[in-house]
Amino acid sequence: MLTVREALKRSPFAGAQLMAGTKGLDRQIRWVHILEISTMENLIYGGEMILATGVGFNLDTAHSVRYMEKLIQQNAACLCIEIGPYFHTVPEELRELAERSGFPLILLPPSIRFVDITQDLHSLIINRHHRTLRELEGISREFHRLTLTANGTLNVLKLLHKSPGTQLVYRPLNGTPVCYPPLTADQQAQLLLSTDACFKEQEAAPSIGTEAIPQPHFVSGSQIVLQTIGVLNQKWAYLALVCHREPVEFDYVLLDSAALSIAQELLRTRYMEERKLFSENLWVDELLNNRLADEKQVKALLGPSLNRHAELHIRVCLLEIENLNDETLYLQETGAETIRYHLSLLLRSIFEKHGFRLFLTMKNNRLAAIAVDKNGTGRTKARFQSALDSLLSQRADDKLQDLSLAVGVGKDCSSLDQVHVSHREAVQALALHSCFRRPALFYEDLGVFQLLALNDAGTLQQFVRSYLGAVLDYDGAKGSDLLTTLRVYLDHDGSKQLAAQKLFIVRQSLYYRLEKLKELLGEDFMAPETRLAISVALRAHQLLHPEAPAQKPSPKSDAML
């Protein structure tokens, strides 16, 4: 990066005079900008060398001081003023402000042309930028190559240290931190305290977008730059650069490239671990189907961290990829397998974050997960729902964004010998997915559907015909939708006002429809026992015909009644 000190040594600045701001000679110049107006807030972005003659504004003492104050606030690199007809001498107040702020103030004789300065410095900046890009490309390729070797992350840190020559900290959120170059135990502990505090501060700050350059943190005379290492929308680690100087753009880009290479290695490692876990967790399928009788053996498989709780809290979750074999996804057999492992990796990562340990098995397009509460609190549903919401909202990944997912969750059980029951409940909840039209269903939310699903279709059809046959026949003959009116009316406890609002009709239209329902169902259809039977029949009809969308009633339909 070009500094003011270097620029003043260039030939176009022969005869230039530094009047004040010697401490700021190492300010970085990103570009050269000719600026003749005082309202520059939206015209510069920081790091510009400003050239001015004073032709466009009054450079008397007060105006010139305000002008420089604005440049300092906008983080300009320096100010170069041409001595001539518009600016004759430097006011003492201006010189003192520049000196106090470490802001270089440079006077140019009339013989120095602005075009020579801009052409020379812009060419230099662009050429250096191209050289930097070539260097970054080479280092990035080397980062990628190193991640394919043993101790890939440590080798990346060694190469990253070689370029900026600063202290580095690699801090996995679950794992052993690495400092390079190595420090003493006390030094490492102190540095980790500082970087962890900076990480918490950065996480608590409002998001400023993924493309924004991270802001350095000032700690004990050093500047710490943090780069989060994230995979599958989850934060897995952070990489910290500890500088005893002001970080330059090259440092940020290099840090980002190293973090990306480490993220790729983490993803490969997790992917291999996921495949290994699936091969080792064959007992999960046995447990789900109640084929494991030795509970002590299963507890040993769960591990000591989960067995320390006096009572376990376990749920079974089934996740089905409904369109895995859809030709529009253009998946080969290996692609489908990659999708399954990718999804399981995301699922495990999210649920671990929400306090659950997952044991997964996979068959065709269905993932079955035994989720054990690591906290042992017993209040699992809210956290489970939050984890599922995160899963369904974080499928922006290229491999997962086009998948159609359905989720069924069994009830919480407190012992391993009841896992197969939770599994059976999850199967039932998943089977009712199309009926409820919700991406995730908990068995305890099914209500009367828990009982209805136990009956065969013939029995349910007879029950529906017994209580709703007249309405169904009438709707079929007239093209009306009295069935929806009946369902909405009962669902709102017979409130005519609420039912009319939900049906988007005036109350007079509702009264007319209710009279027709009385004619078809009988005057006593709102009697407790009859009303209960009709409500159950409506749910049974919904179960038998989940594909039939509920029609949005229209007042026009009343003319056909």
Side-chain angles (χ1 to χ4, degrees):
M1 186 65 72
L2 179 65
T3 65
V4 177
R5 188 188 305 275
E6 291 177 277
L8 290 177
K9 295 177 182 178
R10 307 286 295 179
S11 58
F13 284 90
Q17 183 181 4
L18 177 66
M19 293 298 296
T22 307
K23 295 178 181 178
L25 286 177
D26 290 322
R27 283 174 173 262
Q28 299 164 13
I29 301 173
R30 299 181 61 181
W31 205 244
V32 181
H33 193 50
I34 300 173
L35 191 64
E36 298 286 5
I37 59 175
S38 57
T39 55
M40 82 285 285
E41 287 83 352
N42 297 322
L43 299 178
I44 62 175
Y45 299 98
E48 293 91 351
M49 170 184 276
I50 304 299
L51 307 180
T53 64
V55 65
F57 52 91
N58 186 1
L59 276 179
D60 60 23
T61 299
H63 283 86
S64 61
V65 168
R66 282 198 296 272
Y67 179 73
M68 180 176 286
E69 286 175 342
K70 287 185 179 180
L71 291 178
I72 294 171
Q73 290 171 3
Q74 295 297 114
N75 198 29
C78 62
L79 173 60
C80 301
I81 301 178
E82 182 185 87
I83 297 296
Y86 305 105
F87 195 83
H88 307 288
T89 59
V90 178
E92 184 62 23
E93 292 88 343
L94 191 66
R95 192 194 66 77
E96 289 178 356
L97 174 61
E99 191 66 32
R100 186 170 62 251
S101 304
F103 184 73
L105 174 61
I106 301 159
L107 296 186
L108 304 177
S111 59
I112 295 180
R113 300 188 305 173
F114 285 4
V115 66
D116 294 332
I117 294 176
T118 56
Q119 184 176 1
D120 179 69
L121 295 189
H122 286 172
S123 297
L124 180 63
I125 291 170
I126 291 172
N127 289 335
R128 285 189 177 184
H129 184 66
H130 285 168
R131 285 198 300 272
T132 300
L133 288 178
R134 287 196 297 270
E135 184 180 354
L136 281 172
E137 184 180 358
I139 294 175
S140 296
R141 283 199 301 267
E142 185 64 12
F143 280 151
H144 181 68
R145 188 191 68 79
L146 290 173
T147 60
L148 301 176
T149 64
N151 298 320
T153 297
L154 180 59
N155 291 331
V156 168
L157 295 181
K158 290 179 179 178
L159 179 58
L160 178 60
H161 168 72
K162 189 182 297 183
S163 295
T166 56
Q167 179 65 52
L168 300 169
V169 179
Y170 169 63
R171 178 66 148 160
L173 301 187
N174 293 299
T176 305
V178 177
C179 292
Y180 192 86
L183 302 172
T184 65
D186 291 341
Q187 289 174 329
Q188 177 168 314
Q190 186 61 42
L191 182 57
L192 289 175
L193 284 175
S194 299
T195 54
D196 284 350
C198 294
F199 179 72
K200 290 178 181 177
E201 178 185 335
Q202 185 165 301
E203 288 297 287
S207 175
I208 55 175
T210 56
E211 300 299 324
I213 295 177
Q215 295 300 309
H217 303 264
F218 295 86
V219 178
S220 302
S222 301
Q223 296 191 43
I224 299 177
V225 181
L226 291 177
Q227 180 66 51
T228 300
I229 299 175
V231 184
L232 302 174
N233 289 320
Q234 301 293 303
K235 295 179 177 66
W236 285 1
Y238 69 76
L239 189 58
L241 194 71
V242 185
C243 302
H244 297 291
R245 53 171 174 76
E246 184 177 352
V248 296
E249 187 177 4
F250 183 79
D251 296 329
Y252 291 109
V253 178
L254 203 60
L255 186 66
D256 181 68
S257 179
L260 180 60
S261 296
I262 293 173
Q264 290 170 341
E265 184 191 26
L266 286 174
L267 182 59
R268 281 194 300 270
T269 303
R270 294 288 183 98
Y271 184 78
M272 296 301 295
E273 290 175 352
E274 195 68 23
R275 293 179 67 95
K276 184 180 178 182
L277 283 171
F278 270 106
S279 64
E280 293 176 350
N281 288 354
L282 298 177
W283 59 271
V284 174
D285 189 62
E286 300 292 307
L287 184 60
L288 291 173
N289 292 282
N290 200 28
R291 292 196 292 262
L292 274 180
D294 189 349
E295 186 163 345
K296 289 184 178 179
Q297 178 189 357
V298 179
K299 281 191 174 183
L301 292 169
L302 292 182
S305 62
L306 298 177
N307 288 320
R308 59 186 172 85
H309 301 301
E311 185 179 59
L312 292 174
H313 294 279
I314 308 169
R315 284 182 184 267
V316 173
C317 174
L318 297 180
L319 191 148
E320 188 167 276
I321 309 172
E322 296 181 300
N323 62 337
L324 185 62
N325 298 316
D326 192 333
E327 293 181 357
T328 59
L329 291 180
Y330 303 105
L331 292 177
Q332 303 295 330
E333 184 176 348
T334 54
E337 182 183 8
T338 301
I339 287 287
R340 288 192 289 263
Y341 282 114
H342 205 71
L343 185 59
S344 67
L345 188 59
L346 177 61
L347 188 70
R348 194 186 301 277
S349 176
I350 290 175
F351 272 79
E352 286 282 342
K353 184 178 178 181
H354 284 79
F356 294 96
R357 174 83 178 277
L358 286 195
F359 300 91
L360 293 163
T361 184
M362 178 168 38
K363 187 175 182 181
N364 298 324
N365 65 331
R366 180 176 292 183
L367 282 171
I370 299 175
V372 185
D373 181 21
K374 295 194 294 184
N375 300 336
T377 60
R379 296 183 293 274
T380 61
K381 186 180 178 184
R383 280 188 291 120
F384 213 97
Q385 183 68 66
S386 178
L388 290 175
D389 291 342
S390 296
L391 173 69
L392 296 170
S393 65
Q394 291 184 10
R395 289 187 292 114
D397 187 282
D398 290 341
K399 290 186 174 68
L400 305 177
Q401 61 182 351
D402 295 324
L403 297 184
S404 176
L405 302 180
V407 182
V409 184
K411 288 196 301 184
D412 190 316
C413 60
S414 58
S415 62
L416 292 169
D417 60 0
Q418 292 298 307
V419 168
H420 70 283
V421 177
S422 185
H423 176 237
R424 186 171 64 242
E425 293 166 348
V427 170
Q428 188 171 333
L430 188 61
L432 293 169
H433 171 259
S434 59
C435 186
F436 277 77
R437 303 181 187 281
R438 274 190 276 163
L441 277 178
F442 285 77
Y443 181 79
E444 54 260 51
D445 295 337
L446 297 182
V448 73
F449 285 96
Q450 296 179 15
L451 291 176
L452 293 176
L454 300 177
N455 292 279
D456 61 87
T459 302
L460 290 178
Q461 187 63 40
Q462 289 179 6
F463 185 77
V464 170
R465 291 297 307 173
S466 298
Y467 288 93
L468 300 176
V471 177
L472 291 170
D473 292 342
Y474 186 87
D475 281 347
K478 299 290 186 177
S480 58
D481 195 16
L482 283 177
L483 191 71
T484 298
T485 300
L486 177 62
R487 177 180 56 77
V488 172
Y489 183 60
L490 294 182
D491 285 351
H492 291 83
D493 297 322
S495 169
K496 296 180 177 65
Q497 181 180 356
L498 291 177
Q501 290 174 359
K502 293 294 180 181
L503 290 166
F504 301 101
I505 59 176
V506 295
R507 226 180 297 188
Q508 286 76 7
S509 294
L510 177 63
Y511 295 157
Y512 182 74
R513 296 184 186 188
L514 292 178
E515 287 300 320
K516 181 58 68 176
L517 286 170
K518 285 182 182 179
E519 180 183 325
L520 295 171
L521 298 174
E523 291 285 338
D524 64 341
F525 83 94
M526 288 297 289
E529 290 300 323
T530 307
R531 175 183 172 180
L532 177 60
I534 291 174
S535 295
V536 173
L538 285 168
R539 297 300 184 265
H541 183 267
Q542 182 182 347
L543 179 61
L544 291 171
H545 305 282
E547 72 286 349
Q551 298 178 21
K552 183 177 178 179
S554 168
K556 295 180 181 179
S557 62
D558 295 334
M560 297 182 289
L561 295 179

